[in-house]
mmCIF file of all heavy atoms in Angstrom:
data_model
loop_
_atom_site.group_PDB
_atom_site.id
_atom_site.type_symbol
_atom_site.label_atom_id
_atom_site.label_comp_id
_atom_site.label_asym_id
_atom_site.label_seq_id
_atom_site.Cartn_x
_atom_site.Cartn_y
_atom_site.Cartn_z
ATOM 1 N N MET A 1059 89.726 86.000 88.774
ATOM 2 C CA MET A 1059 88.870 86.306 87.610
ATOM 3 C C MET A 1059 89.772 86.619 86.384
ATOM 4 O O MET A 1059 89.489 86.150 85.238
ATOM 5 C CB MET A 1059 87.973 87.475 87.891
ATOM 6 C CG MET A 1059 87.056 87.822 86.722
ATOM 7 S SD MET A 1059 85.935 89.185 87.148
ATOM 8 C CE MET A 1059 85.086 89.377 85.577
ATOM 9 N N LEU A 1060 90.860 87.385 86.546
ATOM 10 C CA LEU A 1060 91.725 87.713 85.448
ATOM 11 C C LEU A 1060 92.389 86.474 84.887
ATOM 12 O O LEU A 1060 92.585 86.342 83.672
ATOM 13 C CB LEU A 1060 92.754 88.760 85.891
ATOM 14 C CG LEU A 1060 92.203 90.169 86.206
ATOM 15 C CD1 LEU A 1060 93.322 91.037 86.723
ATOM 16 C CD2 LEU A 1060 91.576 90.797 84.993
ATOM 17 N N SER A 1061 92.781 85.557 85.772
ATOM 18 C CA SER A 1061 93.408 84.345 85.296
ATOM 19 C C SER A 1061 92.461 83.499 84.479
ATOM 20 O O SER A 1061 92.837 82.816 83.540
ATOM 21 C CB SER A 1061 93.929 83.547 86.491
ATOM 22 O OG SER A 1061 92.868 83.178 87.360
ATOM 23 N N GLU A 1062 91.164 83.558 84.820
ATOM 24 C CA GLU A 1062 90.169 82.785 84.067
ATOM 25 C C GLU A 1062 89.950 83.360 82.689
ATOM 26 O O GLU A 1062 89.642 82.657 81.745
ATOM 27 C CB GLU A 1062 88.853 82.741 84.868
ATOM 28 C CG GLU A 1062 88.925 81.957 86.168
ATOM 29 C CD GLU A 1062 87.665 82.029 86.970
ATOM 30 O OE1 GLU A 1062 86.703 82.744 86.511
ATOM 31 O OE2 GLU A 1062 87.564 81.382 88.002
ATOM 32 N N LEU A 1063 90.108 84.684 82.586
ATOM 33 C CA LEU A 1063 89.901 85.318 81.261
ATOM 34 C C LEU A 1063 91.023 84.963 80.302
ATOM 35 O O LEU A 1063 90.787 84.914 79.076
ATOM 36 C CB LEU A 1063 89.846 86.874 81.445
ATOM 37 C CG LEU A 1063 88.601 87.387 82.142
ATOM 38 C CD1 LEU A 1063 88.762 88.884 82.383
ATOM 39 C CD2 LEU A 1063 87.333 87.116 81.328
ATOM 40 N N GLY A 1064 92.221 84.748 80.822
ATOM 41 C CA GLY A 1064 93.329 84.384 79.951
ATOM 42 C C GLY A 1064 94.131 85.585 79.510
ATOM 43 O O GLY A 1064 93.639 86.708 79.455
ATOM 44 N N LYS A 1065 95.395 85.314 79.139
ATOM 45 C CA LYS A 1065 96.294 86.386 78.717
ATOM 46 C C LYS A 1065 95.790 87.131 77.494
ATOM 47 O O LYS A 1065 96.071 88.310 77.331
ATOM 48 C CB LYS A 1065 97.675 85.822 78.446
ATOM 49 C CG LYS A 1065 98.377 85.279 79.720
ATOM 50 C CD LYS A 1065 99.795 84.842 79.351
ATOM 51 C CE LYS A 1065 100.502 84.318 80.609
ATOM 52 N NZ LYS A 1065 101.881 83.858 80.306
ATOM 53 N N GLU A 1066 95.100 86.453 76.618
ATOM 54 C CA GLU A 1066 94.608 87.121 75.375
ATOM 55 C C GLU A 1066 93.590 88.215 75.676
ATOM 56 O O GLU A 1066 93.289 89.014 74.818
ATOM 57 C CB GLU A 1066 93.986 86.082 74.438
ATOM 58 C CG GLU A 1066 92.752 85.385 74.918
ATOM 59 C CD GLU A 1066 93.021 84.189 75.850
ATOM 60 O OE1 GLU A 1066 94.224 83.994 76.167
ATOM 61 O OE2 GLU A 1066 92.085 83.484 76.187
ATOM 62 N N SER A 1067 93.033 88.216 76.903
ATOM 63 C CA SER A 1067 92.065 89.233 77.251
ATOM 64 C C SER A 1067 92.684 90.565 77.640
ATOM 65 O O SER A 1067 92.030 91.569 77.693
ATOM 66 C CB SER A 1067 91.181 88.730 78.440
ATOM 67 O OG SER A 1067 90.496 87.542 78.056
ATOM 68 N N PHE A 1068 94.006 90.521 77.950
ATOM 69 C CA PHE A 1068 94.712 91.756 78.346
ATOM 70 C C PHE A 1068 94.993 92.622 77.111
ATOM 71 O O PHE A 1068 95.564 92.154 76.138
ATOM 72 C CB PHE A 1068 96.040 91.442 79.051
ATOM 73 C CG PHE A 1068 95.868 91.035 80.510
ATOM 74 C CD1 PHE A 1068 95.843 89.699 80.834
ATOM 75 C CD2 PHE A 1068 95.749 92.009 81.500
ATOM 76 C CE1 PHE A 1068 95.696 89.337 82.170
ATOM 77 C CE2 PHE A 1068 95.631 91.626 82.787
ATOM 78 C CZ PHE A 1068 95.596 90.278 83.138
ATOM 79 N N LEU A 1069 94.603 93.876 77.217
ATOM 80 C CA LEU A 1069 94.944 94.845 76.175
ATOM 81 C C LEU A 1069 96.204 95.556 76.557
ATOM 82 O O LEU A 1069 97.075 95.847 75.735
ATOM 83 C CB LEU A 1069 93.807 95.852 75.965
ATOM 84 C CG LEU A 1069 92.520 95.269 75.415
ATOM 85 C CD1 LEU A 1069 91.454 96.359 75.276
ATOM 86 C CD2 LEU A 1069 92.722 94.595 74.062
ATOM 87 N N TRP A 1070 96.323 95.938 77.846
ATOM 88 C CA TRP A 1070 97.543 96.613 78.334
ATOM 89 C C TRP A 1070 97.575 96.606 79.844
ATOM 90 O O TRP A 1070 96.515 96.335 80.492
ATOM 91 C CB TRP A 1070 97.671 98.072 77.822
ATOM 92 C CG TRP A 1070 96.440 98.943 77.977
ATOM 93 C CD1 TRP A 1070 95.480 99.154 77.050
ATOM 94 C CD2 TRP A 1070 96.039 99.700 79.122
ATOM 95 N NE1 TRP A 1070 94.521 100.020 77.509
ATOM 96 C CE2 TRP A 1070 94.818 100.360 78.793
ATOM 97 C CE3 TRP A 1070 96.591 99.876 80.392
ATOM 98 C CZ2 TRP A 1070 94.171 101.163 79.731
ATOM 99 C CZ3 TRP A 1070 95.913 100.688 81.305
ATOM 100 C CH2 TRP A 1070 94.732 101.341 80.961
ATOM 101 N N LYS A 1071 98.725 96.841 80.419
ATOM 102 C CA LYS A 1071 98.902 96.898 81.870
ATOM 103 C C LYS A 1071 99.955 97.915 82.166
ATOM 104 O O LYS A 1071 101.096 97.835 81.592
ATOM 105 C CB LYS A 1071 99.260 95.516 82.389
ATOM 106 C CG LYS A 1071 99.445 95.456 83.915
ATOM 107 C CD LYS A 1071 99.821 94.030 84.326
ATOM 108 C CE LYS A 1071 100.009 93.930 85.822
ATOM 109 N NZ LYS A 1071 100.383 92.561 86.238
ATOM 110 N N VAL A 1072 99.665 98.874 83.033
ATOM 111 C CA VAL A 1072 100.656 99.911 83.410
ATOM 112 C C VAL A 1072 100.584 100.094 84.925
ATOM 113 O O VAL A 1072 99.551 99.853 85.580
ATOM 114 C CB VAL A 1072 100.374 101.237 82.700
ATOM 115 C CG1 VAL A 1072 100.519 101.102 81.185
ATOM 116 C CG2 VAL A 1072 98.975 101.737 83.048
ATOM 117 N N PRO A 1073 101.690 100.523 85.550
ATOM 118 C CA PRO A 1073 101.652 100.862 86.999
ATOM 119 C C PRO A 1073 100.791 102.031 87.244
ATOM 120 O O PRO A 1073 100.726 103.019 86.443
ATOM 121 C CB PRO A 1073 103.123 101.132 87.323
ATOM 122 C CG PRO A 1073 103.718 101.544 86.004
ATOM 123 C CD PRO A 1073 103.019 100.734 84.971
ATOM 124 N N SER A 1074 100.070 102.057 88.357
ATOM 125 C CA SER A 1074 99.140 103.122 88.645
ATOM 126 C C SER A 1074 99.361 103.838 89.955
ATOM 127 O O SER A 1074 98.601 104.762 90.330
ATOM 128 C CB SER A 1074 97.704 102.603 88.596
ATOM 129 O OG SER A 1074 97.517 101.601 89.590
ATOM 130 N N GLY A 1075 100.328 103.429 90.747
ATOM 131 C CA GLY A 1075 100.609 104.080 91.986
ATOM 132 C C GLY A 1075 99.711 103.549 93.101
ATOM 133 O O GLY A 1075 98.900 102.656 92.947
ATOM 134 N N SER A 1076 99.885 104.124 94.329
ATOM 135 C CA SER A 1076 99.166 103.686 95.492
ATOM 136 C C SER A 1076 97.807 104.432 95.595
ATOM 137 O O SER A 1076 97.723 105.623 95.322
ATOM 138 C CB SER A 1076 100.003 104.014 96.764
ATOM 139 O OG SER A 1076 99.247 103.750 97.914
ATOM 140 N N GLY A 1077 96.781 103.690 96.000
ATOM 141 C CA GLY A 1077 95.439 104.346 96.135
ATOM 142 C C GLY A 1077 94.359 103.319 96.104
ATOM 143 O O GLY A 1077 94.561 102.160 95.753
ATOM 144 N N HIS A 1078 93.142 103.772 96.492
ATOM 145 C CA HIS A 1078 91.994 102.888 96.512
ATOM 146 C C HIS A 1078 90.893 103.378 95.570
ATOM 147 O O HIS A 1078 89.803 102.827 95.532
ATOM 148 C CB HIS A 1078 91.396 102.829 97.919
ATOM 149 C CG HIS A 1078 92.381 102.327 98.987
ATOM 150 N ND1 HIS A 1078 93.142 101.221 98.791
ATOM 151 C CD2 HIS A 1078 92.703 102.831 100.215
ATOM 152 C CE1 HIS A 1078 93.902 101.022 99.884
ATOM 153 N NE2 HIS A 1078 93.662 101.957 100.731
ATOM 154 N N SER A 1079 91.170 104.398 94.792
ATOM 155 C CA SER A 1079 90.150 104.962 93.931
ATOM 156 C C SER A 1079 89.930 104.053 92.718
ATOM 157 O O SER A 1079 90.753 103.223 92.368
ATOM 158 C CB SER A 1079 90.549 106.359 93.440
ATOM 159 O OG SER A 1079 91.697 106.298 92.647
ATOM 160 N N SER A 1080 88.796 104.251 92.056
ATOM 161 C CA SER A 1080 88.466 103.561 90.810
ATOM 162 C C SER A 1080 88.653 104.547 89.633
ATOM 163 O O SER A 1080 88.573 105.751 89.826
ATOM 164 C CB SER A 1080 87.018 103.086 90.831
ATOM 165 O OG SER A 1080 86.818 102.155 91.851
ATOM 166 N N PRO A 1081 88.947 104.036 88.420
ATOM 167 C CA PRO A 1081 89.086 104.914 87.280
ATOM 168 C C PRO A 1081 87.714 105.452 86.815
ATOM 169 O O PRO A 1081 86.715 104.805 86.943
ATOM 170 C CB PRO A 1081 89.714 103.998 86.204
ATOM 171 C CG PRO A 1081 89.292 102.619 86.621
ATOM 172 C CD PRO A 1081 89.191 102.608 88.089
ATOM 173 N N SER A 1082 87.793 106.668 86.217
ATOM 174 C CA SER A 1082 86.642 107.239 85.556
ATOM 175 C C SER A 1082 87.002 107.325 84.065
ATOM 176 O O SER A 1082 88.127 107.672 83.746
ATOM 177 C CB SER A 1082 86.308 108.614 86.098
ATOM 178 O OG SER A 1082 85.750 108.541 87.386
ATOM 179 N N ILE A 1083 86.045 107.068 83.187
ATOM 180 C CA ILE A 1083 86.273 107.015 81.746
ATOM 181 C C ILE A 1083 85.395 108.003 81.025
ATOM 182 O O ILE A 1083 84.207 108.118 81.311
ATOM 183 C CB ILE A 1083 86.053 105.602 81.215
ATOM 184 C CG1 ILE A 1083 87.037 104.595 81.855
ATOM 185 C CG2 ILE A 1083 86.197 105.565 79.697
ATOM 186 C CD1 ILE A 1083 86.791 103.188 81.499
ATOM 187 N N ALA A 1084 86.011 108.734 80.107
ATOM 188 C CA ALA A 1084 85.265 109.616 79.204
ATOM 189 C C ALA A 1084 85.982 109.617 77.869
ATOM 190 O O ALA A 1084 87.183 109.969 77.817
ATOM 191 C CB ALA A 1084 85.155 111.042 79.766
ATOM 192 N N GLY A 1085 85.280 109.294 76.812
ATOM 193 C CA GLY A 1085 85.876 109.279 75.491
ATOM 194 C C GLY A 1085 87.049 108.307 75.423
ATOM 195 O O GLY A 1085 86.908 107.126 75.813
ATOM 196 N N GLU A 1086 88.240 108.765 75.027
ATOM 197 C CA GLU A 1086 89.374 107.899 74.877
ATOM 198 C C GLU A 1086 90.298 107.995 76.080
ATOM 199 O O GLU A 1086 91.450 107.532 76.023
ATOM 200 C CB GLU A 1086 90.130 108.256 73.624
ATOM 201 C CG GLU A 1086 89.348 107.964 72.316
ATOM 202 C CD GLU A 1086 88.919 106.513 72.222
ATOM 203 O OE1 GLU A 1086 89.745 105.620 72.473
ATOM 204 O OE2 GLU A 1086 87.726 106.266 71.946
ATOM 205 N N ALA A 1087 89.836 108.616 77.127
ATOM 206 C CA ALA A 1087 90.698 108.805 78.314
ATOM 207 C C ALA A 1087 90.161 108.083 79.540
ATOM 208 O O ALA A 1087 88.990 107.919 79.743
ATOM 209 C CB ALA A 1087 90.844 110.304 78.622
ATOM 210 N N LEU A 1088 91.111 107.664 80.393
ATOM 211 C CA LEU A 1088 90.807 107.023 81.678
ATOM 212 C C LEU A 1088 91.518 107.851 82.724
ATOM 213 O O LEU A 1088 92.725 108.065 82.653
ATOM 214 C CB LEU A 1088 91.275 105.577 81.638
ATOM 215 C CG LEU A 1088 91.046 104.673 82.825
ATOM 216 C CD1 LEU A 1088 91.039 103.217 82.351
ATOM 217 C CD2 LEU A 1088 92.154 104.824 83.861
ATOM 218 N N PHE A 1089 90.761 108.266 83.741
ATOM 219 C CA PHE A 1089 91.337 109.151 84.800
ATOM 220 C C PHE A 1089 91.436 108.401 86.113
ATOM 221 O O PHE A 1089 90.506 107.711 86.518
ATOM 222 C CB PHE A 1089 90.450 110.373 84.983
ATOM 223 C CG PHE A 1089 90.213 111.136 83.692
ATOM 224 C CD1 PHE A 1089 89.025 110.997 83.004
ATOM 225 C CD2 PHE A 1089 91.171 111.989 83.148
ATOM 226 C CE1 PHE A 1089 88.799 111.635 81.825
ATOM 227 C CE2 PHE A 1089 90.941 112.704 81.988
ATOM 228 C CZ PHE A 1089 89.758 112.507 81.314
ATOM 229 N N LEU A 1090 92.561 108.555 86.790
ATOM 230 C CA LEU A 1090 92.810 107.851 88.047
ATOM 231 C C LEU A 1090 93.637 108.710 88.968
ATOM 232 O O LEU A 1090 94.553 109.447 88.550
ATOM 233 C CB LEU A 1090 93.519 106.542 87.755
ATOM 234 C CG LEU A 1090 93.648 105.599 88.933
ATOM 235 C CD1 LEU A 1090 92.308 105.046 89.362
ATOM 236 C CD2 LEU A 1090 94.602 104.416 88.522
ATOM 237 N N SER A 1091 93.322 108.617 90.266
ATOM 238 C CA SER A 1091 94.107 109.311 91.277
ATOM 239 C C SER A 1091 94.981 108.284 92.018
ATOM 240 O O SER A 1091 94.676 107.117 92.109
ATOM 241 C CB SER A 1091 93.214 110.021 92.287
ATOM 242 O OG SER A 1091 92.399 109.117 92.977
ATOM 243 N N SER A 1092 96.122 108.758 92.582
ATOM 244 C CA SER A 1092 96.986 107.934 93.326
ATOM 245 C C SER A 1092 97.798 108.805 94.309
ATOM 246 O O SER A 1092 97.685 110.039 94.302
ATOM 247 C CB SER A 1092 97.943 107.134 92.421
ATOM 248 O OG SER A 1092 98.710 107.973 91.650
ATOM 249 N N ALA A 1093 98.590 108.179 95.177
ATOM 250 C CA ALA A 1093 99.385 108.907 96.181
ATOM 251 C C ALA A 1093 100.826 108.394 96.144
ATOM 252 O O ALA A 1093 101.075 107.222 95.848
ATOM 253 C CB ALA A 1093 98.794 108.760 97.553
ATOM 254 N N GLU A 1094 101.741 109.277 96.503
ATOM 255 C CA GLU A 1094 103.157 108.953 96.613
ATOM 256 C C GLU A 1094 103.730 109.482 97.905
ATOM 257 O O GLU A 1094 103.063 110.224 98.619
ATOM 258 C CB GLU A 1094 103.933 109.559 95.412
ATOM 259 C CG GLU A 1094 103.504 109.035 94.053
ATOM 260 C CD GLU A 1094 104.246 109.737 92.924
ATOM 261 O OE1 GLU A 1094 104.805 110.838 93.170
ATOM 262 O OE2 GLU A 1094 104.248 109.223 91.783
#
């Protein structure tokens, strides 16, 4: 799906660590859990 959207659709990409959780969003922040 991401390949179909094209590179111009990406705003940013950062490493997020290991985990299966989904992000939660409030205001200008995105919250995510991970494990090390």
Side-chain angles (χ1 to χ4, degrees):
M1059 180 177 178
L1060 291 176
S1061 61
E1062 293 176 357
L1063 290 174
K1065 293 183 179 180
E1066 65 276 5
S1067 299
F1068 281 97
L1069 295 178
W1070 50 263
K1071 181 179 179 181
V1072 296
S1074 60
S1076 173
H1078 302 313
S1079 66
S1080 298
S1082 290
I1083 297 174
E1086 295 304 313
L1088 182 154
F1089 306 100
L1090 188 67
S1091 63
S1092 59
E1094 297 175 343

